[in-house]
Amino acid sequence: MLNNQSQFSQPLKVLHTSDWHLGRRLYGRARYEEFSKFLAWLLETIIRENIDVLIVAGDIFDTMTPSNQAQTLYFEFLGKVSKSCCQHVVIVAGNHDSPSFLDAPKQVLKFLDVHVIGTACDNPSDEVITLWASDGAPQAIIAAVPYLRDRDVRQNRTGQSFDEKDANVIAGICQHYDLVAAEAKYQQSQLKQDFSAHVPIIATGHLFAAGGSTTEDDGVRNLYVGNLGKISADMFDDCFDYVALGHLHVPQLVGGRDHIRYSGSPIAMGFGEARQRKRLILVEFGQDGLTMTPIFVPRFQKLAQIRGDLTQIRAEIADFAAQNEPIWLEVVYSGDALVSDLREQVTQMIQGTTCEVLKIKNPKSYHYALKQDYEFETLQDLDESEVFERCLEAHQITGDQKIELRSAYDNLMALMTEQDRFAD
């Protein structure tokens, strides 16, 4: 896709990625081998495509307290990429990341031309980074905005309605981006005077755009209580030549704008993403304008979701077994008959194959179990919200009280995900 609105005096190749979620598990299964293979492939891609700038738009890690193995993958990759053709790496925090953990080594990483913004800055100029080429010419201005936490954007007032809180959050996000855009435009005008060059402005963000697509089990959270803080493409200033977004795992445009994009996650985060073709976005600035090209990511661990009755499940498992390559499966039984020994039957089906079943869902059995105090259901089958709903049912909570308790629960969950254990 081509955008001829701007003429850029210096060619520049930027690779946009996000949502690595290093350390993430799938139904308890560690995935470090996958992450390691992805990062090795990413380094090869950077070298093959002669990338100048790598942008990681948040959720580098899956939790605020990443494991030693996840940290090792991160720092080893940064060390290797700093020795490659890539002149700069720009990293902003996502909602899964600890801002203070990412920020802690930022001064050291600067010497490797790795620029990290973990915490939203009080001074907008601190989020505006000018990238310089080795010959001293300006390459790009990065409006490096991280995930804006609730405390960064909301001014709480007592007695506010839900809609007023929603408007307050959106206004706070817009104001933050407006201040950063103003600083970026000022720096661009200064560079125009000093170098007679039009330097592109690239913005980052980790947020939930209105109308964005998600999948059932991708782990994407509402960033604020309820559905607050969903923004539109109109929020971004026209000065941004490209907006590199993170948070949503499905690659997509925002508001139909070619230059405002989610790259999506490079690895399927759940079986609902198994059929997605994962990608990164190669963004090229040149004298002919702006072009964006997808670079498709190989599958480093094959996943598949099987859904149907016993006959369909057996047939699909046989098909995957015939391919004779390792595959992780999620089996969802959707037949009419009640099958109480589904797990045993599926285990028998995969014996002697390269198939491994990580999850079996049997809704028929669950519905029967509801009358038996959930006899056949395990805690692994539920997420935290479903456990809370079970508690409401068990205590026969209904009406307004149920709504109030849900709201209080959502608030508590939001506060828990905001806590940064690495902060002082």
Side-chain angles (χ1 to χ4, degrees):
M1 295 182 183
L2 184 63
N3 178 353
N4 286 314
Q5 291 180 350
S6 300
Q7 301 290 314
F8 304 101
S9 55
Q10 297 292 328
L12 180 71
K13 299 178 80 172
V14 177
L15 193 59
H16 166 202
T17 179
S18 72
D19 295 275
W20 295 356
H21 288 277
L22 299 179
R24 187 180 181 89
R25 291 175 173 265
L26 184 60
Y27 294 129
R29 179 59 56 89
R31 307 179 72 180
Y32 291 112
E33 185 176 353
E34 267 182 281
F35 294 125
S36 179
K37 288 179 178 178
F38 161 66
L39 292 174
W41 172 86
L42 179 58
L43 181 61
E44 291 171 3
T45 302
I46 287 169
I47 295 169
R48 183 183 69 249
E49 298 292 341
N50 199 27
I51 298 299
D52 298 301
V53 179
L54 173 68
I55 293 178
V56 190
D59 283 354
I60 294 86
F61 297 103
D62 193 55
T63 70
M64 289 195 179
T65 53
S67 67
N68 289 337
Q69 200 165 352
Q71 293 180 47
T72 298
L73 287 173
Y74 172 66
F75 287 114
E76 283 188 351
F77 171 78
L78 293 181
K80 290 174 182 177
V81 79
S82 70
K83 297 177 182 178
S84 73
C85 57
C86 186
Q87 298 180 56
H88 298 277
V89 179
V90 178
I91 297 170
V92 297
N95 60 300
H96 281 253
D97 297 313
S98 160
S100 53
F101 175 81
L102 289 185
D103 278 339
K106 67 186 297 181
Q107 297 303 324
V108 174
L109 291 175
K110 263 186 184 178
F111 289 98
L112 301 179
D113 289 315
V114 177
H115 314 273
V116 178
I117 301 291
T119 306
C121 304
D122 293 331
N123 186 346
S125 64
D126 293 335
E127 290 179 17
V128 180
I129 304 166
T130 298
L131 305 183
W132 301 88
S134 55
D135 63 0
Q139 290 180 303
I141 298 167
I142 310 294
V145 182
Y147 164 53
L148 299 174
R149 298 177 181 275
D150 190 271
R151 62 177 176 268
D152 299 323
V153 297
R154 179 184 289 171
Q155 298 176 349
N156 281 321
R157 298 183 182 88
T158 57
Q160 282 186 325
S161 68
F162 188 85
D163 288 341
E164 287 171 334
K165 290 179 181 179
D166 189 10
N168 197 318
V169 167
I170 293 173
I173 296 172
C174 290
Q175 182 182 40
H176 190 97
Y177 271 94
D178 286 345
L179 291 171
V180 171
E183 176 64 25
K185 284 188 283 189
Y186 170 75
Q187 293 193 22
Q188 185 184 54
S189 66
Q190 294 298 110
L191 292 173
K192 181 76 171 177
Q193 291 179 15
D194 295 342
F195 293 89
S196 300
H198 178 72
V199 180
I201 300 175
I202 304 169
T204 69
H206 194 88
L207 44 82
F208 202 134
S213 299
T214 62
T215 58
E216 180 183 351
D217 61 349
D218 58 10
V220 171
R221 304 170 184 160
N222 284 335
L223 293 177
Y224 306 94
V225 177
N227 290 316
L228 299 180
K230 290 188 178 180
I231 59 87
S232 70
D234 295 332
M235 185 195 79
F236 298 106
D237 194 283
D238 290 339
C239 74
F240 297 141
D241 295 291
Y242 184 79
V243 182
L245 296 179
H247 184 56
L248 301 188
H249 295 171
V250 180
Q252 56 198 286
L253 310 183
V254 175
R257 313 283 179 86
D258 279 347
H259 70 294
I260 307 176
R261 297 188 177 221
Y262 288 97
S263 63
S265 60
I267 291 174
M269 295 297 151
F271 285 96
E273 297 182 37
R275 295 184 180 180
Q276 284 181 24
R277 198 169 181 195
K278 296 297 188 178
R279 67 189 67 178
L280 313 178
I281 307 298
L282 172 58
V283 186
E284 296 184 75
F285 299 87
Q287 292 185 350
D288 293 330
L290 170 64
T291 60
M292 290 146 289
T293 308
I295 296 179
F296 294 101
V297 183
R299 290 186 177 93
F300 304 104
Q301 170 62 57
K302 192 171 182 181
L303 307 178
Q305 185 183 73
I306 296 175
R307 183 183 297 270
D309 58 20
L310 280 175
T311 301
Q312 292 169 308
I313 290 170
R314 186 175 287 106
E316 288 201 48
I317 286 178
D319 287 343
F320 285 122
Q323 297 174 21
N324 199 31
E325 61 176 310
I327 183 171
W328 291 350
L329 300 176
E330 179 183 63
V331 176
V332 182
Y333 176 74
S334 59
D336 294 327
L338 177 65
V339 181
S340 59
D341 64 339
L342 179 63
R343 187 174 297 276
E344 289 77 9
Q345 291 200 47
V346 170
T347 300
Q348 217 170 24
M349 293 175 196
I350 64 170
Q351 279 186 353
T353 73
T354 54
C355 301
E356 186 174 355
V357 176
L358 300 193
K359 178 71 173 177
I360 297 175
K361 294 182 178 180
N362 190 350
K364 284 284 182 183
S365 178
Y366 295 167
H367 293 154
Y368 177 77
L370 289 176
K371 302 175 183 178
Q372 306 279 332
D373 294 327
Y374 311 107
E375 180 182 353
F376 303 121
E377 194 168 48
T378 66
L379 191 60
Q380 187 187 35
D381 297 320
L382 306 172
D383 62 24
E384 59 268 23
S385 296
E386 290 170 325
V387 172
F388 182 72
E389 290 297 322
R390 292 286 197 270
C391 290
L392 294 177
E393 290 176 21
H395 291 85
Q396 299 181 333
I397 306 297
T398 59
D400 291 341
Q401 188 180 13
K402 192 172 187 177
I403 294 171
E404 290 175 7
L405 286 171
R406 275 184 183 147
S407 178
Y409 174 80
D410 287 342
N411 274 283
L412 287 171
M413 289 300 296
L415 287 172
M416 286 175 63
T417 58
E418 292 269 315
Q419 289 177 355
D420 186 353
R421 297 182 185 180
F422 287 98
D424 291 332

